[in-house]
Amino acid sequence: METGRHRPHGLGSAGLGLHVLLCSSLLLNAVFFTRHFLRASPTTTTPRLGDDGLSWALQAAREAEAVAAADCSGHGSVFLDGVAGEDGKPGCECNSCFSGPDCSVRTRNCTADADSGNPLFLEPYWMRHAAASAVVFSGWHRMSYTTTDGRFHSVELDRHIRRLHRAVGNAVVDDKYLVYGSGSAQLINALVYALSPEGNAASPPASVVATVPYYPVYKSQTVMFDGREYRWAGSTATWANNGSRNSTKDFIEFVTSPNNPDSALRKPVLAGSSAIVDRAYYWPHLTHIPAPADEDVMLFTTSKLSGHAGSRFGWALVRDENVAKRAIFYTEQSIMGASRDTQLRILKILKVILANLHSKEDIFAFGYDVMRSRWRRLNAVVSRSSRISLQKIQPQYCTYFKRTKEPSPAYAWVKCEWEEDVDCYETLLAAGIISRSGTLNEAGARYTRVSLLKTQDDFDVLLERITDFVDAEKHSRAPAGSSSI
Amino acid sequence: METGRHRPHGLGSAGLGLHVLLCSSLLLNAVFFTRHFLRASPTTTTPRLGDDGLSWALQAAREAEAVAAADCSGHGSVFLDGVAGEDGKPGCECNSCFSGPDCSVRTRNCTADADSGNPLFLEPYWMRHAAASAVVFSGWHRMSYTTTDGRFHSVELDRHIRRLHRAVGNAVVDDKYLVYGSGSAQLINALVYALSPEGNAASPPASVVATVPYYPVYKSQTVMFDGREYRWAGSTATWANNGSRNSTKDFIEFVTSPNNPDSALRKPVLAGSSAIVDRAYYWPHLTHIPAPADEDVMLFTTSKLSGHAGSRFGWALVRDENVAKRAIFYTEQSIMGASRDTQLRILKILKVILANLHSKEDIFAFGYDVMRSRWRRLNAVVSRSSRISLQKIQPQYCTYFKRTKEPSPAYAWVKCEWEEDVDCYETLLAAGIISRSGTLNEAGARYTRVSLLKTQDDFDVLLERITDFVDAEKHSRAPAGSSSI
């Protein structure tokens, strides 16, 4: 203002215009300059404001972006807590079958590892939603034992879990209590504890059972904890034909629906038993959703919902108050509740999922596309084989997508059909494929589980090995009955 | 360069100088302008670079800083996952005895809650080290089940835990295996499992014991899990005088050193037993360090080291390979390893602690100052009382500070001295102080534990209530033997 009102000496009108422009320009520079350099300094304990208005969070944001910007050729990632190399910095962690400092070297004739249910097929989704899904933890975030429910459960996370179930239509939540665990894995034993007779020497221990083929951890965990109030009692088949209805009342039956390994929707087999229905895979990217699940005790996990297996977060929906209280008591006694760090991170993840439902960025649409494509490609190859076969899954109407959905299962449940292939795991291993033997599910060695959930690199290598295996059939042995043709 | 070499037309030398200056200035404007406005947009999926070179992490950094900037009058905090109010935003969570939207209203005659061992005395330290201790989680951070050791343990975190023990001199780590747990709480049962006879019907169950006064969770957790391979067998006093040395070989003895509740350094009592030595409080802000601890099985936790109780992270140092393997198997079967989110966060916290050791920003010097001051002030008041007394702690030489250290215990172990005060917990409660009854430690109702670890607000209110209580003694009753004076 001062500049405009006092006419400068010794300059014509062109000079005046220039002068005003120059002053404005210099002033603007000064503003930008100030904002640019008065940013947070990583070494001071009282950071100043930066260009983006950032102070203490700036250094961490830069570190995270610098790490994420590393070039791993699309076949690996760098993580903030990666093992530091000689330069003190973490390097690329390469996907299976890739190596080298930037993961650009493809391993020749690499064995396909299709063992674990590692849900990395969703990693690209989170890279696409980088800005919305990032979270900054301050050093003082939730240091306390207690959080917003006065105990160990985040109230906002509880609300968002319920919102998600309502929006997806995969579970009835209104009449259920929520129990958090360090993964749904922890809740397996928490619920066995909660459903077993309370410390009472007069009651016989509950019998923990499941139907073949079942998820092996139900057995291995129950055997490991080996509490006096329960005992692993094997397959439901032993008991279902027992005839005596009364004998079922002390059973705790694990039901996985859709089932791991074969993706079938299942119901409890033993009438009158306490059922723990594991709904880990009951999301629209991995199965059709016929109706909201409404069992008394249901298990869910972020591993198969959002792909966050490493976070170790799962939850149970429990109808009965006393069962819920006992399960919560278990998680409090054993770990004093699921990590509050993880609860914050998962809250952010659920917010992103909710904000994008039924949009073109819907995580279920994304995941379904990936998994359907993998299933189609695998079937196209295996359909040429007489040596191995896959489980049959029909297209079904899905209430979430409001249309018929093609199969998009998490696993291929492979059967070896040739008589001499008595150990299907070994048969595939000889073909360069690591699977998970059906003996672990009590389904016998004729079956083996092949994971389809992993990275695209993993799937691509798997498909190569399977293709080679099927192509080699005609040289291996003609199947029985066709040898004379 | 162009501008300087080609002389512009129609301007004198003053005008030329202005012109050059203007052009430079406008160019600089353009540079700043571009950098300022081409920053990450929260709504785009392909964020652009911002002023600070930030893209996808910017939105999260802003959210975290906006939340942290809220005014809670120094008597509360806002957290990212706080319960959303009507405006959709989380509000202040006030310290005990404060309320109102900005925590500015002090509750009159507020009851002092000195129950839990919530280590919030360290919260101000992390606020002072905001920039260094913040961590940004990308949406795709460590989605995998496996991390840098090929299983569930971060290799960098392992290295930093060992570095810290070596630098502090509080534990010998070189011949030990590391086992992570979801808090040291989880490792209590993991180690009971690991030290119990392996599933062998021929072996009698191990007897799990501790010396009075002991941390109650050893008992409550052992009773809850109730595995067939072990059994809670009460106080060591029952067995120490047994006479038979051979009978001790099946004991698993919990030893807390410094002890919770009374801060005494302790050793196992039963010769030949398997001892689990809980070293949660063996850090220089809470005790003197006479020498590095070197027991076969030791427990540590971030709760009492850095104050991060809500993160749920603890570790065991284990000498025997088979015991370590069994404990790791337990954590893998039960929760598939401690949250990888928490492992990253704790890595950052340990880096900050390590970088500041023996500097003026040393966390142990900070914590020691706070806790010593609290103990001094409490003692000054209680020394005027004949009704209650505190445990006696002598100043001792500390190898970490390289000087004699005054007492700075986590808890006051209060004894009610008057005959009629048979329940010390009730006596303090009547005086407006919530403590934790010594009956829980099997020490009897004459004793009660008062926590000194909480926020400064908590301590200040506690000291007020204790002062009122001691001041009121002369009106309550003259102590026995002095009634005639």
Side-chain angles (χ1 to χ4, degrees), chain B residues 377-391:
Chain B
R377 294 172 66 196
L378 182 67
N379 267 267
V381 175
V382 175
S383 65
R384 294 192 282 111
S385 173
S386 70
R387 192 171 183 182
I388 55 171
S389 65
L390 307 177
Q391 78 267 42

Side-chain angles (χ1 to χ4, degrees), chain B residues 76 83 119 143 393 418 438:
Chain B
V83 178
M143 294 173 63
I393 315 175
W418 289 5

Side-chain angles (χ1 to χ4, degrees), chain A residues 39-100:
Chain A
R39 63 172 56 142
S41 157
T43 54
T44 58
T45 48
T46 50
R48 292 163 298 176
L49 283 181
D51 266 331
D52 294 311
L54 288 184
S55 62
W56 57 266
L58 181 61
Q59 179 185 349
R62 282 192 178 142
E63 279 172 13
E65 291 201 359
V67 156
D71 177 17
C72 302
S73 312
H75 300 296
S77 302
V78 183
F79 297 105
L80 274 171
D81 57 356
V83 178
E86 286 180 11
D87 60 354
K89 292 178 182 168
C92 287
E93 297 179 26
C94 302
N95 294 344
S96 301
C97 303
F98 290 87
S99 62

Side-chain angles (χ1 to χ4, degrees), chain A residues 32-152:
Chain A
F32 275 126
F33 189 85
T34 308
R35 288 170 55 85
H36 189 70
F37 289 97
L38 290 185
R39 63 172 56 142
S41 157
T43 54
T44 58
T45 48
T46 50
R48 292 163 298 176
L49 283 181
D51 266 331
D52 294 311
L54 288 184
S55 62
W56 57 266
L58 181 61
Q59 179 185 349
R62 282 192 178 142
E63 279 172 13
E65 291 201 359
V67 156
D71 177 17
C72 302
S73 312
H75 300 296
S77 302
V78 183
F79 297 105
L80 274 171
D81 57 356
V83 178
E86 286 180 11
D87 60 354
K89 292 178 182 168
C92 287
E93 297 179 26
C94 302
N95 294 344
S96 301
C97 303
F98 290 87
S99 62
D102 64 351
C103 304
S104 62
V105 183
R106 203 175 188 290
T107 312
R108 290 187 59 184
N109 299 319
C110 185
T111 297
D113 185 346
D115 178 2
S116 117
N118 216 355
L120 294 173
F121 73 107
L122 288 171
E123 200 180 59
Y125 181 83
W126 296 109
M127 290 182 170
R128 273 165 71 159
H129 293 271
S133 61
V135 192
V136 173
F137 282 74
S138 67
W140 65 90
H141 177 76
R142 295 259 178 243
M143 293 173 64
S144 174
Y145 283 108
T146 57
T147 182
T148 45
D149 71 337
R151 299 291 300 168
F152 310 143

Side-chain angles (χ1 to χ4, degrees), chain A residues 15 53 187 219 261-262 286 372 375 481:
Chain A
L187 296 170
K219 175 180 177 180
D262 65 7
L286 298 173
R372 175 183 56 178
W375 183 247

Side-chain angles (χ1 to χ4, degrees), chain A residues 25 139 226 229 312 335 339 342, chain B residues 25 226 229 308 335 339 342:
Chain A
S25 177
D226 200 25
E229 295 73 21
R312 311 310 309 131
I335 64 165
S339 165
T342 287
Chain B
S25 181
D226 201 26
E229 294 76 19
H308 290 86
I335 64 166
S339 165
T342 286

Side-chain angles (χ1 to χ4, degrees), chain A residues 220-221 223-226, chain B residues 187-199 208 227 229-230 252 254 276 322-323 325-331 333:
Chain A
S220 60
Q221 205 188 81
V223 168
M224 184 195 77
F225 281 114
D226 200 25
Chain B
L187 296 170
I188 292 173
N189 193 245
L191 291 166
V192 166
Y193 168 84
L195 292 167
S196 292
E198 296 195 45
V208 183
E229 294 76 19
Y230 52 85
I252 297 171
F254 276 101
I276 298 170
N322 189 45
V323 173
K325 275 186 177 166
R326 279 169 57 80
I328 288 172
F329 175 76
Y330 177 102
T331 62
Q333 276 289 316

Side-chain angles (χ1 to χ4, degrees), chain A residues 420-434:
Chain A
E420 65 267 44
D421 290 337
V422 290
D423 188 331
C424 200
Y425 167 84
E426 290 293 342
T427 302
L428 289 195
L429 191 61
I433 299 160
I434 300 170

